[in-house]
Amino acid sequence: MNLQPSHLAFAAGTAVYLAIRAVFQHRAASSRKAVSRADTRDRLLIVLAGACQIGLPLILMLTPWLDAASYTQPVALTWAGALVMVCALWLFWRSHADLGTNWSVTLELSQNHRLITQGVYRRIRHPMYASFFAMGLSQALLLNNWIAGWAALLAVGVLYGIRTPHEERMMLESFGDEYRAYMQRTGGILPRFVPRATTTNS
Ligand code: SAH
């Protein structure tokens, strides 16, 4: 058992994260799917991320198995972790709210799918994945354990690297030039303020 105050803060933040997800999952449940790219690879990536975001922290908090990988750090880093978690939860909530019924856990498009380009989607295409990275960073700063703390950031990096090209291909196939133009003027997880230069053949 390894329950430090920062671990409890992480557990509280994770409870809020799961509550946000449950609310929007319930809202999106009724939307009928038109396109699904929910294959085994995509589901495995979600399971991997979940195991690192929830499974490993639970093992750290409830068993002594990962104690050898724990370390101490300046208290300012722990406070920074709490601040990053609050920002991550805000972004996670806003990206769900802006996507509304267009959101799905796996790669899918609903029958009345609309391309969202406003709110937190205005300058970045992947604010929800950006919130995963921020959650991962807060996990590292709050759990101060080389395994349970840092594994989520690694898993989110793998998820982002593998899933995003498939997601963008699906969006391009459905929204064509509208999504192409959206890609030109936005960044992936970091905001873009100046549109990407377009190449011309002349
Ligand atoms: N990559 C986005 C969304 C993650 S949820 C983010 O990080 O914020 C994944 C689902 O969201 C995809 O299956 C796709 O259907 C939908 N989606 C992604 N970007 C979208 C957009 N700009 N507008 C509408 N739906 C989008």
Side-chain angles (χ1 to χ4, degrees):
M1 197 83 155
N2 189 356
L3 283 182
Q4 301 169 14
S6 67
H7 293 180
L8 294 177
F10 175 76
T14 303
V16 174
Y17 172 91
L18 291 174
I20 294 172
R21 184 104 307 175
V23 168
F24 286 95
Q25 185 124 30
H26 181 69
R27 286 189 198 168
S30 57
S31 67
R32 298 171 75 88
K33 302 302 171 197
V35 175
S36 177
R37 301 283 159 86
D39 55 11
T40 309
R41 181 201 52 224
D42 199 50
R43 291 200 183 91
L44 278 177
L45 288 172
I46 294 168
V47 171
L48 172 75
C52 295
Q53 288 171 319
I54 296 168
L56 286 175
L58 277 178
I59 292 174
L60 175 69
M61 288 181 219
L62 303 178
T63 76
W65 301 340
L66 299 176
D67 286 0
S70 289
Y71 55 86
T72 51
Q73 66 181 13
V75 71
L77 281 181
T78 307
W79 280 107
L83 188 67
V84 173
M85 176 163 258
V86 171
C87 297
L89 288 172
W90 177 84
L91 189 56
F92 185 62
W93 163 61
R94 280 314 315 163
S95 44
H96 270 293
D98 286 342
L99 275 187
T101 55
N102 299 295
W103 173 74
S104 53
V105 179
T106 52
L107 294 184
E108 289 174 336
L109 292 171
S110 58
Q111 277 178 1
N112 301 314
H113 209 100
R114 275 194 319 118
L115 178 64
I116 304 297
T117 60
Q118 290 304 317
V120 291
Y121 285 82
R122 191 176 157 82
R123 297 198 192 280
I124 52 175
R125 295 188 296 286
H126 303 294
M128 197 175 289
Y129 300 156
S131 79
F132 292 170
F133 276 110
M135 279 294 287
L137 180 62
S138 76
Q139 180 169 335
L141 294 173
L142 288 172
L143 296 188
N144 48 285
N145 180 280
W146 290 117
I147 299 169
W150 293 91
L153 257 186
L154 207 67
V156 170
V158 171
L159 179 132
Y160 184 76
I162 296 180
R163 186 188 233 216
T164 313
H166 294 280
E167 180 172 329
E168 295 192 335
R169 200 168 312 127
M170 176 182 81
M171 300 302 283
L172 274 171
E173 282 167 16
S174 294
F175 294 99
D177 286 345
E178 197 186 351
Y179 194 74
R180 206 163 284 115
Y182 177 55
M183 288 180 87
Q184 295 285 334
R185 62 178 193 270
T186 52
I189 52 170
L190 296 176
R192 169 174 287 277
F193 295 96
V194 181
R196 213 169 268 117
T198 45
T199 48
T200 54
N201 295 326
S202 55

